[in-house]
Amino acid sequence: MYETAYARPRTLEEAVELLQSDEDAKCLAGGMTYVPTLKQRLAMPSLLVDLSRLLSRDIAVADGFLTIGAGARHVDVQRSQIVRETLPALAELAGLIGDPMVRNRGTIGGSLSNNDPAADYPSAALALDAQITTTKQQYAAADFLSGMFETLLDDDEIVTHVRFKIPVCAAYSKFASKASGYAVAGAFVARFDDDVRVAITGAGPCVFRADQLEEALKGDFNVWALKGKTIEPEGLLSDMHADAEYRAALAVEMTKRAVHQITGA
Amino acid sequence: MNKISLTVNGNKVEASVETRVLLSQLLREELGLTGTHVGCDTSQCGACTVHLDGEAVKSCSVLAAACDGAKVETIESLSDHPLQEAMVRHQGLQCGFCTPGVVMSGLDMIRRHGSSLTRERIAEELEGNICRCTGYRGMVDAIYEVSQDV
Ligand SMILES: Cc1cc2nc3c(=O)[nH]c(=O)nc-3n(C[C@H](O)[C@H](O)[C@H](O)COP(=O)(O)OP(=O)(O)OC[C@H]3O[C@@H](n4cnc5c(N)ncnc54)[C@H](O)[C@@H]3O)c2cc1C
Ligand code: FES
Ligand code: FES
């Protein structure tokens, strides 16, 4: 790891100032992605702005929305009574991330800011039409999660909160890589009064919605409605773990499993 | 250089560290606490697990500079703990390289779940501790046994 400066600001204003003071400054939250990145010398920031004790870890429900502070660790979401009652699928998703030590440090804000194509939270954010609040503005998850390891964040912008729309019911199903634990394909299915949203992670360069599957489920929210429905493999990822065709098939299968978890049939 | 002061196994420690010094390096190289092992140094194996403010973390993935004001507990904080004794009795270790991490993870599980811990849950939560020798059976039994006594 290259040597770099380190600061632990006490307020968000101070953190933003630090990020603005130095164009190669980077923020650090749980460090579960960024510390390994630094150790591999894949990044060379001049200053690390440590947000880990600054960002809110609060979790609250109001008016049909669940709001989570960007500093909430995966374990906070996994164990939160509020999340378990209002959006159990999200608590389950958090419990599937990495392992207990990773969940003790990693944050929801860090996961969304990193937008790893195989990460779990982006699928929930997209399926639950999340609003992502930063020190500058609010974004719809669909815009914010803009590409492979890419978001709309500026260098001096910090995610502070994530607000999920609470569905009637939802489920997440993940086919995890045996080696890394990350999703080879994962599907987050959310059913609202007047809508069904299916977000697929792991399969493509960035989380995406499966239109054909959503349409079928809007007609009839049942596993059988997905019979013969597919996801187009073109543009999906191919690597030594799985090729695009297999990932496309797996994503449909994960969607079926998620629907099955909800309907129980 | 970052000036930090923290508590390690109950002792006050003052140190001056470069930002790139990891908690695992501070413990092993500065403080001589080599019970914390570094198996992979890539956040995968869990041999370096310690408790940071009461929670299990991979010390190879935490900057020492970020531990200013924190309380750290390593395997050296234990002596003749029932879990260590149970690990021996159930043959939860062979070469012993992963063992400090497994014990610190096991204690974290016991603290969180107490006697509601099940063998399935232990196996699931050992996800972050890789053992190349034992096949995990003995360590699951050891953690389970101790959890039932709390
Ligand atoms: C062994 C292991 C297994 C894992 N398995 C999984 C898995 O199965 N599924 C999964 O989804 N993830 C997995 N992860 C990744 C983990 O979830 C990370 O916690 C997460 O990707 C990043 O969160 P963090 O808080 O650690 O962020 P950091 O590593 O601190 O930061 C990541 C990036 O986001 C930026 N950033 C962080 N917080 C903010 C913020 N509030 N505003 C703006 N930018 C910010 C940082 O500058 C950095 O670029 C795993 C990690 C490890 C080490
Ligand atoms: S040495 Fe830290 S996880 Fe392997
Ligand atoms: S006892 Fe040898 S690695 Fe676990």
Short mmCIF file of all heavy atoms in Angstrom, two decimals, chain B residues 94-96 98 131-134, ligand 3:
data_model
loop_
_atom_site.label_atom_id
_atom_site.label_comp_id
_atom_site.label_asym_id
_atom_site.label_seq_id
_atom_site.Cartn_x
_atom_site.Cartn_y
_atom_site.Cartn_z
N GLN B 94 -5.67 -28.45 13.98
CA GLN B 94 -4.56 -29.34 13.66
C GLN B 94 -3.28 -28.52 13.60
O GLN B 94 -2.54 -28.44 14.57
CB GLN B 94 -4.83 -30.11 12.37
CG GLN B 94 -5.91 -31.18 12.57
CD GLN B 94 -6.23 -31.95 11.31
OE1 GLN B 94 -5.42 -32.08 10.41
NE2 GLN B 94 -7.45 -32.46 11.25
N CYS B 95 -3.03 -27.83 12.48
CA CYS B 95 -1.81 -27.03 12.44
C CYS B 95 -1.91 -25.79 13.33
O CYS B 95 -0.92 -25.24 13.77
CB CYS B 95 -1.47 -26.61 11.01
SG CYS B 95 -2.42 -25.19 10.42
N GLY B 96 -3.14 -25.34 13.56
CA GLY B 96 -3.34 -24.22 14.48
C GLY B 96 -3.24 -22.84 13.85
O GLY B 96 -3.40 -21.84 14.55
N CYS B 98 -5.20 -21.25 11.72
CA CYS B 98 -6.46 -20.50 11.66
C CYS B 98 -7.06 -20.28 13.05
O CYS B 98 -8.01 -19.52 13.21
CB CYS B 98 -7.48 -21.27 10.81
SG CYS B 98 -8.03 -22.80 11.61
N CYS B 131 -10.24 -22.80 7.18
CA CYS B 131 -9.34 -23.76 7.79
C CYS B 131 -8.97 -24.80 6.74
O CYS B 131 -9.84 -25.37 6.10
CB CYS B 131 -10.01 -24.46 8.97
SG CYS B 131 -8.98 -25.76 9.66
N ARG B 132 -7.68 -24.99 6.56
CA ARG B 132 -7.22 -25.93 5.53
C ARG B 132 -7.02 -27.33 6.10
O ARG B 132 -6.60 -28.24 5.39
CB ARG B 132 -5.90 -25.43 4.92
CG ARG B 132 -6.11 -24.26 4.00
CD ARG B 132 -6.64 -24.74 2.67
NE ARG B 132 -7.94 -24.19 2.41
CZ ARG B 132 -8.27 -23.45 1.36
NH1 ARG B 132 -7.38 -23.15 0.47
NH2 ARG B 132 -9.49 -23.04 1.18
N CYS B 133 -7.21 -27.52 7.43
CA CYS B 133 -6.89 -28.82 8.02
C CYS B 133 -8.09 -29.61 8.50
O CYS B 133 -8.28 -30.75 8.14
CB CYS B 133 -5.97 -28.65 9.22
SG CYS B 133 -4.46 -27.76 8.89
N THR B 134 -8.92 -28.98 9.33
CA THR B 134 -9.79 -29.80 10.19
C THR B 134 -11.09 -30.29 9.57
O THR B 134 -11.66 -31.25 10.05
CB THR B 134 -10.21 -28.99 11.44
OG1 THR B 134 -10.99 -27.87 10.99
CG2 THR B 134 -9.01 -28.51 12.20
S1 FES C 3 -5.99 -26.01 11.83
FE1 FES C 3 -4.70 -25.75 10.13
S2 FES C 3 -5.69 -24.18 9.05
FE2 FES C 3 -7.13 -24.64 10.57
#
